[in-house]
Amino acid sequence: MVGGGQLARMTAAAAVGLGATFRVLSESEKESAALVTHDVTVGSHLSLPDISAFAAECDVITFDHEHVPGPILAKLESDGVLVRPGSGALRYTQDKLAMRERLSALGVPCPRFAPVASLADVAAFAGGTWPVVLKAVSGGYDGKGVWVCDSIGEVEDVLSLGIRLMAEEFVPFKRELAALVARSPSGQGAAYPVVETVQVDGICREVIAPAPGLSKDTAVEAEAMALKIAAELGVTGLLAVELFETSHGRLLVNELAMRPHNSGHWTIEGARTSQFEQHLRAVLDLPLGSCAPPEGTFTVMANLLGGTDPDVFDRYIHVMAADPAVKVHFYGKEVRVGRKIGHVTIVGGPEDDVAEVRDRARRAASYLRWGTEDGD
């Protein structure tokens, strides 16, 4: 796996059970995955020599991020390296405009969009209706590279950054959903239950699986849409499709990711096959596992962000004692304010109330971050 972040760290744990030898190309020996993985190569994902040397010792390579340049991926493939997902698919996670154009051509519902390069372009797109969303065509993540502009003055500030931009209509959505699917080289597909995601400042803070109150028809529509996209784009491995659910019940595709995804962390405890094991099964062309939760269960996952006190582990004991059902996952990262350093998960049963379990997960994450259950 190219990339040494928390996604690689959790994939490494899944590889143990599959009996797969797992290697990581990490920027440093102190990255999240490098701290727990035996076979680590230190190198840059921006360096063709580094990745080529790494790939020469692997049967197949995959990724925990989308930042390997397309020309490097294409060169690896031309040299006979098995790259999953391939450069043709990954292009649509690296170039948001190409993604929008391809999905629209497939008839997949998306927000209205257009490439923009000037104030006149944005004004013409807005047509007097504000706000307008501006997005960096490449490089954005976790809310970075996205600007909600209420006026031409704000647009001017974004244009001054000198980056490729596209404009999208502002969607007054009811809530955000995510559909996570897997696809193997043999064409087998599998879909996890559609989840609700709660975003704060562009960062996913909470996931509820399955999405509460989602109709069966809408869930099937979202799963089918994700499987169609995976097949049409030639995805191998996981595909996460982030969705807007509008007040009229319409689904619009917001973003794509072709790797394990924050919206799927709940599957470690809450599904019969975790997303990390499923990604490896797909990449290795093994039969895919069941995506189903145990009968009658639901799961709440809350992301743990860093606070002002780096000594998280003192508070860990309190959380374990206060609620033994809470599962805490740390990523081995240095604590910084607002940085994702872990997540907590609670699996509820038929006798549990979703709102009550969400509150327990929120309180656990808050205590770990701030030392109080009443924090953000």
Side-chain angles (χ1 to χ4, degrees):
M1 183 167 269
V2 175
Q6 65 261 27
L7 300 179
R9 181 187 180 100
M10 289 181 275
T11 306
V16 173
L18 288 176
T21 300
F22 189 79
R23 306 184 68 227
V24 170
L25 179 68
S26 177
E27 292 282 344
S28 79
E29 295 177 348
K30 295 183 178 180
E31 280 203 275
S32 181
L35 296 173
V36 299
T37 306
H38 171 68
D39 199 341
V40 178
T41 297
V42 175
S44 173
H45 65 274
L46 301 176
S47 165
L48 176 59
D50 285 357
I51 295 186
S52 294
F54 175 72
E57 302 298 324
C58 301
D59 295 306
V60 57
I61 65 169
T62 189
F63 312 92
D64 90 333
H65 58 66
E66 294 93 1
H67 306 311
V68 180
I72 289 181
L73 296 173
K75 181 64 168 65
L76 292 173
E77 290 171 327
S78 70
D79 289 343
V81 176
L82 206 53
V83 178
R84 292 176 174 168
S87 61
L90 283 169
R91 177 190 175 210
Y92 299 107
T93 67
Q94 298 176 328
D95 186 321
K96 288 182 170 57
L97 182 58
M99 180 264 287
R100 282 282 183 258
E101 291 172 342
R102 179 76 170 113
L103 294 186
S104 296
L106 292 172
V108 174
C110 299
R112 185 172 64 90
F113 69 95
V116 292
S118 66
L119 289 174
D121 289 343
V122 180
F125 179 84
T129 301
W130 299 87
V132 166
V133 179
L134 295 183
K135 289 185 176 181
V137 170
S138 61
Y141 67 97
D142 279 351
K144 298 179 176 65
V146 178
W147 300 268
V148 179
C149 299
D150 291 305
S151 67
I152 282 291
E154 293 181 11
V155 170
E156 194 168 13
D157 292 339
V158 179
L159 289 172
S160 69
L161 298 173
I163 58 176
R164 286 182 67 210
L165 294 168
M166 57 182 284
E168 287 188 354
E169 66 175 314
F170 180 81
V171 178
F173 55 84
K174 175 183 172 184
R175 59 176 172 175
E176 294 185 75
L177 305 172
L180 182 65
V181 299
R183 183 175 178 272
S184 73
S186 299
Q188 184 185 11
Y192 287 95
V194 178
V195 303
E196 178 178 348
T197 65
V198 179
Q199 317 287 325
V200 179
D201 296 328
I203 298 176
C204 178
R205 294 292 293 272
E206 184 180 308
V207 174
I208 308 102
L214 188 67
S215 72
K216 183 177 180 180
D217 287 347
T218 303
V220 169
E221 178 188 352
E223 292 170 9
M225 185 188 301
L227 288 168
K228 173 185 177 178
I229 294 170
E232 293 286 353
L233 301 189
V235 175
T236 297
L238 288 177
L239 171 69
V241 180
E242 298 180 38
L243 299 159
F244 294 135
E245 182 186 19
T246 71
S247 57
H248 302 295
R250 189 181 180 208
L251 297 178
L252 299 174
V253 172
N254 182 26
E255 300 284 357
L256 302 179
M258 297 175 191
R259 51 169 171 75
H261 192 253
N262 202 168
S263 68
H265 291 352
W266 67 274
T267 61
I268 297 174
E269 286 86 20
R272 299 190 187 279
T273 307
S274 79
Q275 68 162 341
F276 303 100
E277 178 183 338
Q278 195 78 294
H279 184 69
L280 288 174
R281 285 183 179 224
V283 165
L284 297 172
D285 205 11
L286 299 171
L288 300 181
S290 169
C291 296
E295 185 68 30
T297 65
F298 65 91
T299 304
V300 175
M301 186 282 297
N303 274 319
L304 172 59
L305 305 184
T308 52
D309 180 3
D311 196 2
V312 176
F313 291 95
D314 274 357
R315 297 188 291 280
Y316 184 31
I317 297 171
H318 169 87
V319 168
M320 293 175 70
D323 193 341
V326 172
K327 299 293 185 182
V328 182
H329 296 261
F330 288 118
Y331 302 155
K333 291 184 172 182
E334 180 183 349
V335 176
R336 294 201 300 263
V337 175
R339 185 188 199 189
K340 283 183 190 175
I341 59 171
H343 70 269
V344 301
T345 307
I346 302 176
V347 178
E351 71 284 355
D352 293 313
D353 176 71
V354 173
E356 188 266 338
V357 174
R358 289 181 68 179
D359 185 60
R360 286 163 54 197
R362 183 201 61 78
R363 286 188 284 116
S366 173
Y367 194 87
L368 287 166
R369 186 181 188 188
W370 301 117
T372 171
E373 295 184 350
D374 298 322
D376 182 16

